[in-house]
Amino acid sequence: MAEIGAAVEQGRAGDTEEARRRLAELWEHPAVQGDPFHRCALAHYAADLEPEVADELRWDERALAAADEVVPGQQTPLDVGSFYPSLHLNLGDAHRRVGDLATARDHLARARACVDVLPDDGYGRLIRGGIERLGERLESS
């Protein structure tokens, strides 16, 4: 997680190309491939660094697939269940941007269905707001 976090911070600092390269390299690492939590976290962050929506969507799909592989009760650094609203929000928005409105609406419904797991803090408000904005965008489509 430390290496993933360092790459994410590098991207947030503006060096997105190097951050994408590092995350792609880490994706191939056996420790990441052997742990669905690490794959989920890495893919979730990598999607945010992609300039092309098709590449972002591919990472978002990997993140959701990995989250689904985490065994209930498995010890993880963070509760993967709390990732689902954000994962579905990101997938819904990416599908909206590529014009797949039916799939976007499906992910919006799934995000809304699990929003209660979000904490009542800045992160929770950020994701809830994103879900509402996605709903508004899809209503006007």
Side-chain angles (χ1 to χ4, degrees), residues 3-136:
E3 290 181 58
I4 293 169
V8 169
E9 287 306 313
Q10 188 171 19
R12 289 180 180 160
D15 192 359
T16 55
E17 187 173 324
E18 180 61 19
R20 281 194 308 272
R21 186 198 64 73
R22 287 179 65 191
L23 288 171
E25 186 178 282
L26 284 169
W27 179 258
E28 301 300 326
H29 194 279
V32 171
Q33 285 302 307
D35 183 344
F37 174 81
H38 286 98
R39 285 196 322 273
C40 176
L42 186 151
H44 193 45
Y45 290 125
D48 293 338
L49 297 173
E50 289 295 343
E52 300 295 327
V53 69
D55 296 325
E56 179 182 344
L57 185 55
R58 197 168 19 263
W59 281 115
D60 285 335
E61 288 169 343
R62 289 173 177 170
L64 180 60
D68 287 344
E69 290 179 32
V70 175
V71 177
Q74 178 181 347
Q75 191 79 348
T76 58
L78 298 169
D79 176 22
V80 174
S82 66
F83 286 9
Y84 280 98
S86 179
L87 293 170
H88 287 296
L89 167 61
N90 291 349
L91 279 159
D93 187 55
H95 279 286
R96 178 192 64 81
R97 288 184 284 140
V98 298
D100 184 353
L101 300 183
T103 303
R105 287 184 180 99
D106 177 60
H107 282 290
L108 174 62
R110 293 172 75 183
R112 286 176 170 161
C114 63
V115 75
D116 60 323
V117 303
L118 291 172
D120 186 21
D121 62 7
Y123 171 76
R125 287 186 293 277
L126 175 74
I127 301 304
R128 283 184 186 92
I131 291 169
E132 289 310 309
R133 284 187 298 282
L134 177 59
E136 292 166 3

